[in-house]
């Protein structure tokens, strides 16, 4: 008798559990839906799962599903295997060249949207999740996204096109290719200190781009560059807004104050951990 979706998922679940995966049943099902979509050559929605679990699997499905489960058992993130991750109001394409958009980063988007801006710069934009979400909410605003990784920029460009926002993209080492001023500068830079790297989950440490995670130093290198360059690239009263690791609030706030930014504020994510720091360039005296 041919194998059902349920049997296939149960086997996959066991394999993922043995590999130390936290939520093996959920991952096995998400990947099953992804394999089904490929095998049937059409998107299979989540609500169709029950029906597909009860049915015999289509010919060829096992050959598509098996390498996905093998990749997950090797701790590749589900989003890299499916190539997608939901963030704010859109689905973003992700690859091994980009940091996976994370829910806590939505706080940065939420806080950025509390004020008007006509222009926004995202430094180290990765998938473009922050910049593209902001531009989708503020279609009149002009946007620029830069990254040191040309491969990441390609992913961001593709996401902007699919989601339907326009922006300028450039390879840049922080501000090196940026000559204009912006009302809002955002960044989720690499902030994990070198000595914290061994503690990361294998999904992050072994699969996400190292340059998006760590400065190979104390975790503050990027903030030094961002704070030093921000005043020259912000319009009067413009804001610099960055994501941080939970222990970095005071250090990053101090870097912003030292750079001459005012109203420096640290905000907590839904888990109550310090997650976003922002500061404002003083309004010019003549204004
Ligand atoms: N938030 C990510 C993590 O802890 C790190 C992202 C970053 O360094 N910007 O996995």
């Amino acid at each position: 008798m041919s194998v059902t979706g349920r049997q296939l998922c149960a086997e996959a679940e066991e394999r993922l559990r043995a590999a130390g995966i936290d939520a093996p049943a959920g991952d096995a099902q998400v990947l099953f839906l992804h394999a089904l979509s490929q095998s049937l050559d059409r998107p299979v929605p989540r609500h169709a799962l029950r029906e597909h679990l009860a049915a015999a699997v289509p010919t060829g499905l096992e050959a598509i599903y098996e390498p996905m489960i093998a990749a997950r058992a090797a701790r590749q993130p589900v989003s890299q295997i499916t190539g997608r991750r939901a963030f704010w109001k859109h689905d973003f394409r992700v690859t091994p060249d980009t940091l996976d958009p994370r829910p806590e980063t939505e706080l940065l988007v939420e806080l950025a949207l509390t004020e008007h801006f006509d222009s926004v710069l995202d430094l180290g934009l990765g998938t473009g999740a922050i910049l593209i979400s902001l531009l989708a909410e503020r279609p009149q605003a002009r946007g620029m996204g830069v990254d040191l990784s040309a491969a990441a920029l390609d992913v961001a460009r593709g996401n902007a096109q699919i989601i339907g926002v326009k922006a300028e993209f450039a390879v840049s080492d922080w501000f090196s290719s940026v000559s204009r001023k912006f009302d809002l500068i955002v960044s989720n830079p690499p902030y994990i200190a070198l000595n914290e790297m061994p503690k990361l989950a294998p999904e992050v440490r072994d699969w996400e781009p190292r340059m998006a995670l760590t400065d190979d130093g104390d975790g503050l290198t990027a903030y030094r560059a961002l704070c030093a360059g921000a005043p020259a690239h912000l319009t009067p009263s413009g804001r610099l807004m960055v994501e941080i690791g939970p222990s970095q609030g005071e250090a990053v706030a101090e870097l912003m104050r030292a750079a001459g930014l005012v109203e420096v504020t640290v905000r907590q994510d839904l888990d109550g951990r310090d997650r976003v720091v922002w500061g404002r360039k003083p309004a010019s005296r003549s204004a």
Side-chain angles (χ1 to χ4, degrees), residues 73 96 152 155 162-163 193 203:
V155 175
I162 294 166
I163 294 165
E203 281 80 356

Side-chain angles (χ1 to χ4, degrees), residues 99 102 104-105 188-192 200 204 208 212-214 223 243 275:
L99 189 81
R102 291 155 161 70
E104 57 267 28
T105 305
N188 175 16
Y191 55 66
I192 296 172
L200 294 182
V204 180
E208 296 208 77
L213 294 172
T214 182
Y223 302 115
E243 177 169 323
R275 186 58 69 186

Side-chain angles (χ1 to χ4, degrees), residues 4-281:
T4 63
R6 194 176 310 286
Q7 287 166 326
L8 207 58
C9 282
E11 281 168 28
E13 182 185 337
E14 274 322 301
R15 203 166 148 196
L16 297 185
R17 180 171 290 111
I21 308 277
D22 274 351
D27 288 1
Q29 290 179 357
V30 169
L31 293 173
F32 177 65
L33 282 172
H34 185 60
L36 268 177
S37 304
Q38 283 196 2
S39 137
L40 301 174
D41 203 21
R42 61 175 168 82
V44 177
R46 190 156 186 98
H47 64 74
L49 185 60
R50 185 180 300 276
E51 165 201 335
H52 283 289
L53 285 175
V57 298
T59 317
L61 180 97
E62 284 171 84
I64 297 174
Y65 191 47
E66 196 286 327
M68 292 179 185
I69 294 302
R72 186 67 193 109
R75 305 302 290 263
Q76 186 164 25
V78 172
S79 53
Q80 282 189 13
I81 302 171
T82 63
R84 310 219 64 85
R85 174 84 175 241
F87 178 86
W88 197 248
K89 297 183 183 171
H90 300 279
D91 241 6
F92 287 83
R93 191 164 83 83
V94 306
T95 75
D97 289 309
T98 57
L99 189 81
D100 216 344
R102 291 155 161 70
E104 57 267 28
T105 305
E106 292 177 350
L107 174 66
L108 203 160
V109 173
E110 192 182 327
L111 292 173
L113 291 171
T114 57
E115 280 189 22
H116 177 85
F117 55 88
D118 286 322
S119 54
V120 51
L121 168 67
D122 187 346
L123 295 160
L125 88 165
T127 58
I130 302 172
L131 178 74
I132 293 166
S133 296
L134 290 174
L135 291 172
E137 299 280 358
R138 298 283 183 273
Q140 87 295 340
R142 184 170 51 81
M144 179 175 189
V146 304
D147 206 291
L148 196 53
S149 160
L153 281 172
D154 282 344
V155 175
R157 256 189 218 103
N159 279 325
Q161 196 172 16
I162 294 166
I163 294 165
V165 308
K166 289 214 163 33
E168 184 185 340
F169 297 97
V171 173
S172 185
D173 184 1
W174 302 127
F175 291 102
S176 68
S177 306
V178 181
S179 51
R180 287 199 311 274
K181 291 187 196 295
F182 294 83
D183 296 343
L184 174 66
I185 298 177
V186 292
S187 184
N188 175 16
Y191 55 66
I192 296 172
L194 183 60
N195 63 10
E196 301 284 326
M197 288 295 283
K199 293 181 212 155
L200 294 182
E203 281 80 356
V204 180
R205 191 187 59 224
D206 301 340
W207 290 95
E208 296 208 77
R210 186 178 173 91
M211 67 184 281
L213 294 172
T214 182
D215 58 1
D216 286 309
D218 66 355
L220 295 170
T221 311
Y223 302 115
R224 294 188 186 98
L226 295 172
C227 292
H233 295 91
L234 282 171
T235 55
S237 302
R239 290 184 300 168
L240 169 65
M241 193 171 268
V242 297
E243 177 169 323
I244 57 159
S247 66
Q248 295 171 317
E250 205 30 60
V252 173
E254 200 39 52
L255 285 169
M256 286 200 187
R257 287 186 209 108
L261 301 182
V262 296
E263 296 177 32
V264 175
T265 307
V266 182
R267 292 290 299 265
Q268 286 77 42
D269 63 21
L270 290 172
D271 297 324
R273 295 172 300 189
D274 288 353
R275 186 58 69 186
V276 170
V277 184
W278 65 271
R280 189 186 303 283
K281 180 171 161 162

